[in-house]
């Protein structure tokens, strides 16, 4: 089978050796560093700040969205650790460490929690040591692998995670970086196939159908200025990632609305988020 046929069949890693994997290049904006800027971090360069500011000029809500997304991550991990007893997390698209990283939230609830982080950006790799400071009772690993090399991820993650026990698969603000031709729904299905009943899928995704004109304009600027391409998806496309799973209330919602009392919601984001359980 040639590469295209394997890709179409979803049986192998998608264009695994991809030429578009970021190198350490500060002259071009990278998603991890743009996001770091929106979150108020200092790990970014002039090219990242220019792209981030141009996106803000087109749609000021991108900053709200980044912050609300981070809070969604912490709430979802907290819910899975406390409410569902999940002790294993595969966090894909780690980003530069920020407040309340997955292992910190999970191990604050259950010190024995195991977390495997995955990212393909050398800047994130350079920060990985900060992520590897696991609680002694638990374990944290970091994989420098492209999400599209899904088989490799599952193979290497099995050094740390026991795939016979439930795992939370976390794809927080990463799937927009996977183009339709790289079969994002197939990647998610492959990840969920690898975990047992009682596992969870957590997704947040930039929305194409919330403030659509402004977000499209911000994305157009980002696509001109950043290394990675952004693909926006609407509510129905995000919902489809949860096919075959039991969606937790309130379903796929704006990230700031996910399990937050209405009265506490101040700003609106253009990000969909949801959590589903594998039956
Ligand atoms: C916007 S950041 C999100 C970080 C974190 N998940 C969060 O929500 O706070 C997206 C991250 O995904 C990573 N990423 C994008 N495409 C990827 C790919 N194909 N494989 C692995 N990581 C990828 C980027 O390098 C970046 O660090």
């Amino acid at each position: 089978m040639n590469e295209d046929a394997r890709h179409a069949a979803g049986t192998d890693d998608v264009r695994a050796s991809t030429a578009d994997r970021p190198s350490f290049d500060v002259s071009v904006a990278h998603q991890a560093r743009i996001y770091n800027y929106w979150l108020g971090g200092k790990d970014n360069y002039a090219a990242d700040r220019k792209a981030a500011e141009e996106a803000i000029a087109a749609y000021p809500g991108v900053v709200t969205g980044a912050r609300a997304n981070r809070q969604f991550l912490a709430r979802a991990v907290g819910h899975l650790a406390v409410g569902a007893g999940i002790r294993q997390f595969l966090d894909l698209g780690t980003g530069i460490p920020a407040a309340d990283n997955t292992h910190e939230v999970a191990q604050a609830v259950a010190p024995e929690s195991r977390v495997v982080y995955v990212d393909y950006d050398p800047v994130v790799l350079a920060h990985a040591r900060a992520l590897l400071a696991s609680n002694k009772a638990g374990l944290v690993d970091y994989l420098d692998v492209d999400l599209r090399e899904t088989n490799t991820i599952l193979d290497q993650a099995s050094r740390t995670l026991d795939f016979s026990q439930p795992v939370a698969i976390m794809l927080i603000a990463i799937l927009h970086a996977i183009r339709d031709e790289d079969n994002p729904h197939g990647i998610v299905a492959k990840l969920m196939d690898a975990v047992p009943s009682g596992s969870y899928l957590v997704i947040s995704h930039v929305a194409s159908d919330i403030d659509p004109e402004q977000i499209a304009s911000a994305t157009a600027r980002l696509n001109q200025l950043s290394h990675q391409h952004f693909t926006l998806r609407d509510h129905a496309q995000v919902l489809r990632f949860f096919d075959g799973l039991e969606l937790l209330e309130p379903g796929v919602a704006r990230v700031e609305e996910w399990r937050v009392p209405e009265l506490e919601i101040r700003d609106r984001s253009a990000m969909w988020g949801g959590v589903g359980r594998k039956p």
Side-chain angles (χ1 to χ4, degrees):
M1 209 188 280
N2 67 26
E3 188 186 337
D4 283 346
R6 282 201 306 271
H7 174 207
T11 54
D12 200 4
D13 293 336
V14 179
R15 293 171 197 184
S17 58
T18 61
D20 57 341
R21 216 187 136 142
S23 58
F24 188 81
D25 179 359
V26 300
S27 70
V28 177
H30 283 199
Q31 284 186 9
R33 301 187 311 229
I34 295 170
Y35 183 69
N36 171 265
Y37 180 80
W38 288 336
L39 290 178
K42 300 268 179 273
D43 299 297
N44 46 70
Y45 299 88
D48 307 308
R49 294 190 282 275
K50 176 176 163 56
E53 282 293 347
E54 290 206 17
I56 293 171
Y59 183 43
V62 290
V63 173
T64 309
R67 294 182 181 166
N69 179 61
R70 215 43 224 180
Q71 290 163 3
F72 168 75
L73 181 156
R75 281 201 309 286
V77 173
H79 171 78
L80 294 180
V82 175
I86 293 294
R87 299 291 178 259
Q88 306 193 96
F89 296 82
L90 180 55
D91 185 341
L92 304 129
T94 312
I96 295 167
D100 292 334
N101 300 300
T102 297
H103 73 288
E104 292 164 345
V105 178
Q107 293 187 344
V109 175
E112 70 275 25
S113 299
R114 296 178 171 213
V115 178
V116 174
Y117 289 108
V118 181
D119 207 292
Y120 73 164
D121 190 315
V123 170
V124 179
L125 175 64
H127 287 272
R129 200 177 314 138
L131 292 169
L132 296 174
S134 171
N135 188 309
K136 271 193 191 141
L139 272 178
V140 178
D141 195 8
Y142 179 86
L143 308 180
D144 177 35
V145 185
D146 190 313
L147 174 57
R148 292 163 292 182
E149 298 175 49
T150 318
N151 292 333
T152 307
I153 290 171
L154 290 169
D155 186 40
Q156 294 188 11
S158 68
R159 295 189 304 234
T160 305
L161 304 178
D162 174 357
F163 280 102
S164 71
Q165 298 299 313
V167 178
I169 302 287
M170 312 217 357
L171 293 150
I172 309 290
I174 179 176
L175 288 167
H176 62 265
I178 307 297
R179 295 171 189 254
D180 288 340
E181 61 259 39
D182 283 335
N183 193 10
H185 289 87
I187 290 173
V188 173
K190 188 184 275 187
L191 289 165
M192 292 312 294
D193 274 353
V195 294
S197 165
S199 294
Y200 285 83
L201 173 66
V202 185
I203 286 180
S204 68
H205 200 298
V206 192
S208 63
D209 50 349
I210 300 174
D211 298 331
E213 285 171 21
Q214 288 170 290
I215 194 80
S217 158
T219 306
R221 288 308 292 140
L222 289 170
N223 283 344
Q224 279 167 353
L225 293 169
S226 71
H227 174 85
Q228 296 108 322
H229 182 90
F230 286 70
T231 300
L232 306 182
R233 296 191 172 91
D234 65 17
H235 188 270
Q237 288 169 308
V238 176
L239 192 60
R240 195 154 70 77
F241 286 117
F242 294 94
D243 276 0
L245 306 181
E246 298 159 350
L247 256 184
L248 270 50
E249 288 297 331
V252 172
R254 292 186 191 216
V255 286
E256 70 278 8
E257 292 176 349
W258 196 87
R259 303 211 166 196
V260 174
E262 181 66 29
L263 278 175
E264 289 176 22
I265 302 169
R266 287 194 202 93
D267 298 312
R268 298 287 167 178
S269 78
M271 304 257 334
W272 294 123
V275 179
R277 179 182 181 279
K278 184 167 175 175

